[in-house]
């Protein structure tokens, strides 16, 4: 019978309260990271797109989103609206059980909030691909609909493990048995594939790629990357839902992958372009963190270095494809989040070790291709679903309320056109 009732474990609850705060920090950190990447006339709009994901997702999550993601399973595809409507059965007591609703050994309402942070940052990630040119009202509508039709179903497939909140779970975790510990598919590949579709349907920025569109504030970018790295410890290690040895291994792997990826990215920059850059360092950290997100429970600390190094090198090359293939992914959501998410998922099938918390051997550790094919199926399924449904949502909005901001607004500055504000006031007072 779910949910279970009882007294929460104090140590685990304290850790998860901290992890929830760390995960929630990631969306404002992303706003700072993305905000520094755009031109000065677009920074407020970019940060608003990221921060608006917090209230939009939370309202959806409270009313019915959590219930669909973690409610009673229907064929491995979606949860039930009747399980936790309005977060019913996630807090308080029903008068017939002792204690409060639990998920594992922590309060169920804390698990609700922790998982909401995942949904928030996933929605915000997509904004980076459409910087400088999307109407804000259209973004709000897209974010709300996308969170319901794309994120929530995939979250159920990946995060709703059998016995966690209900007896049966999503098909990727419960039937396919692919490993995705903290969201390589649900968060990174899901947002990356959707970002590409939205960017293609929206069209290129005015003047791209002819005009230089350099980051206006690299210290913002580096500070945002640092805060994201900090928050990622809650994202990954918090997904263990306990303060134990496995969470410690996961935290160490998160550190190692980010470090190795940063070094790999800078090496590629030095070889290809003659100089390592601060922008590359920040991007490299994020690529490694993305890749270790699904694999942090299944690789050793040395394996985490391999995951990070491959992700950093591959993503540093992948971001240049947009110039060759002429798609305008403004802030490299595809090149970093999508590509590194795929790398992280597939590397599980290669370098997973039975000595890690997940207890599975990959190909290089004598496990054959059994885990690898499961990872491939999970990746392809999420890409296909996200691509198709995002396309339908974007086309629906394009032909109703419209997606694209006025071209002159793009040229003059989307901050002023969409928000009647400017990030920097250079007017001299008389």
């Amino acid at each position: 019978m779910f949910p279970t009732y009882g007294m929460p474990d104090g140590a685990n609850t304290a850790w998860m309260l901290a992890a929830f705060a760390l995960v929630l920090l990631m969306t404002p950190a992303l706003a700072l990271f993305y905000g520094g990447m755009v031109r000065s006339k677009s920074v407020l709009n970019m940060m608003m797109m990221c921060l608006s994901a917090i209230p939009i997702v939370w309202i959806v999550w409270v009313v019915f989103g959590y219930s669909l993601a973690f409610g009673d399973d229907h064929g491995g595809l979606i949860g039930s609206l009747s399980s936790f409507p309005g977060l019913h059965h996630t807090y308080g007591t029903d008068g017939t059980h002792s204690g409060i609703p639990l998920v594992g050994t922590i309060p169920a309402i804390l698990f609700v909030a922790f998982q909401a942070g995942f949904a928030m940052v996933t929605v915000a990630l997509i904004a980076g691909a459409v910087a400088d040119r999307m109407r804000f009202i259209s973004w709000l509508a897209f974010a709300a609909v996308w969170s319901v039709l794309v994120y929530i179903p995939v979250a159920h497939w990946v995060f709703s493990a059998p016995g966690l909140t209900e007896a049966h779970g999503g098909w990727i975790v419960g039937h396919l048995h692919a490993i995705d510990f903290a969201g390589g598919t649900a968060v990174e590949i899901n947002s990356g594939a959707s970002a590409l579709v939205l960017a293609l349907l929206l069209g290129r920025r005015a003047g791209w790629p002819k005009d230089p569109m350099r980051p206006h504030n690299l210290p913002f970018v580096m500070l945002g990357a640092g805060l994201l790295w900090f928050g990622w410890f809650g994202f990954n290690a918090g997904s263990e839902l306990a303060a134990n040895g496995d969470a410690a291994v996961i935290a160490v792997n998160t550190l190692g992958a980010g470090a190795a990826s940063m070094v790999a990215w800078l090496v590629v920059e030095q070889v290809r372009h003659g100089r390592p850059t601060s922008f590359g360092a920040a991007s490299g950290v994020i690529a490694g963190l993305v890749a270790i997100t699904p694999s942090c429970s299944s690789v050793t600390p040395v394996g985490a270095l391999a995951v990070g190094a491959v992700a950093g090198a591959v993503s540093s090359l992948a971001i240049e494809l947009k110039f060759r293939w002429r798609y305008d992914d403004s802030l490299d959501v595809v090149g970093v989040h999508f590509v590194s998410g795929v790398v992280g998922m597939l590397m599980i099938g290669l370098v997973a070790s039975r000595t890690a918390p997940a207890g599975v051997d990959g190909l290089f550790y004598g496990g054959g291709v059994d885990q690898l094919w499961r990872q491939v199926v999970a990746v392809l399924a999420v890409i296909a679903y996200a691509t198709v449904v995002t396309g339908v949502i974007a086309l629906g909005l394009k032909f109703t309320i419209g997606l694209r901001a006025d071209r002159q607004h793009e040229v003059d500055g989307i901050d002023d056109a969409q928000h009647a504000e400017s990030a920097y006031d250079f007017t001299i007072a008389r």
Side-chain angles (χ1 to χ4, degrees):
M1 176 66 181
F2 290 88
T4 58
Y5 286 78
M7 296 303 297
D9 180 273
N12 292 344
T13 300
W15 160 235
M16 289 307 300
L17 284 167
F20 156 62
L22 288 170
V23 171
L24 192 61
L25 171 68
M26 292 177 72
T27 301
L30 183 70
L32 193 62
F33 181 68
Y34 277 173
M37 289 187 187
V38 297
R39 291 168 291 178
S40 59
K41 61 184 180 181
S42 306
V43 56
L44 291 179
N45 178 256
M46 188 71 261
M47 298 183 81
M48 280 283 285
M49 291 174 79
C50 291
L51 290 175
S52 64
I54 295 176
I56 289 172
V57 168
W58 182 245
I59 292 169
V60 169
W61 205 245
V62 169
V63 177
F64 60 85
Y66 176 77
S67 190
L68 286 177
F70 291 95
D72 190 27
D73 176 67
H74 291 290
L77 299 177
I78 197 68
S80 172
L81 279 172
S82 62
S83 293
F84 308 108
L87 302 188
H88 192 51
H89 299 310
T90 65
Y91 63 94
T93 180
D94 62 359
T96 61
H97 298 86
S98 61
I100 63 172
L102 301 177
V103 172
T105 62
I106 67 170
I109 193 68
L110 179 54
F111 179 75
V112 170
F114 178 70
Q115 282 293 330
F118 281 60
M120 292 167 186
V121 74
T122 305
V123 171
L125 284 170
I126 301 172
V130 297
D132 297 336
R133 62 197 190 278
M134 188 171 183
R135 296 178 63 216
F136 186 64
I137 189 66
S138 301
W139 164 255
L140 296 179
F142 174 83
V145 177
W146 188 90
S147 67
V148 175
L149 298 184
V150 181
Y151 179 79
I152 287 173
V154 177
H156 180 76
W157 302 352
V158 175
F159 294 141
S160 185
L164 182 64
T165 58
E166 292 288 353
H168 305 287
W171 73 273
I172 286 180
V173 64
H175 303 286
L176 180 64
H177 301 299
I179 296 175
D180 183 359
F181 188 74
T185 52
V187 176
E188 309 298 349
I189 295 173
N190 202 11
S191 62
S194 299
L196 177 59
V197 172
L198 188 59
L200 290 173
L201 291 176
L202 198 61
R204 304 171 189 169
R205 286 169 289 179
W208 187 89
K210 180 180 178 181
D211 297 340
M213 298 184 180
R214 300 185 182 92
H216 91 284
N217 194 320
L218 285 171
F220 272 21
V221 175
M222 297 195 73
L223 179 58
L227 289 173
L228 281 167
W229 201 347
F230 181 58
W232 229 293
F233 291 107
F235 199 79
N236 286 355
S239 295
E240 177 63 21
L241 305 183
N244 57 24
D246 288 350
V249 172
I250 291 164
V252 167
N253 286 345
T254 301
L255 173 64
S261 182
M262 175 179 170
V263 171
W265 191 298
L266 293 180
V267 168
V268 172
E269 277 195 329
Q270 179 68 43
V271 171
R272 289 176 60 84
H273 306 298
R275 288 182 177 85
T277 66
S278 60
F279 188 68
S283 300
V285 168
I286 301 305
L289 295 171
V290 168
I292 202 63
T293 293
S295 58
C296 54
S297 70
S298 55
V299 300
T300 65
V302 172
L305 296 181
V307 170
V310 172
V314 172
S315 287
S316 66
L317 298 173
I319 61 170
E320 299 181 14
L321 293 177
K322 68 179 182 181
F323 297 103
R324 181 177 300 177
W325 294 344
R326 312 288 287 184
Y327 65 89
D328 187 9
D329 171 21
S330 307
L331 308 184
D332 299 317
V333 182
V334 178
V336 175
H337 292 274
F338 177 79
V339 170
S340 291
V342 172
V343 167
M345 284 293 292
L346 299 185
M347 287 287 283
I348 294 171
L350 300 176
V351 299
S353 171
R354 192 173 295 276
T355 61
V360 173
D361 281 332
L363 179 63
F364 297 166
Y365 283 78
V369 299
D370 181 66
Q371 193 60 48
L372 181 59
W373 76 260
R374 300 176 193 276
Q375 302 302 117
V376 170
V377 171
V379 167
L380 293 178
V382 172
I383 291 174
Y385 182 79
T387 299
V388 172
V389 181
T390 300
V392 172
I393 296 170
L395 286 172
L397 292 173
K398 183 175 183 178
F399 293 113
T400 52
I401 64 174
L403 288 175
R404 186 84 183 236
D406 184 87
R407 183 179 178 86
Q408 191 59 47
H409 292 168
E410 292 183 51
V411 174
D412 295 340
I414 202 166
D415 282 356
D416 183 63
Q418 296 290 310
H419 308 290
E421 295 175 306
S422 174
Y424 308 101
D425 189 354
F426 298 111
T427 303
I428 299 175
R430 295 188 177 183

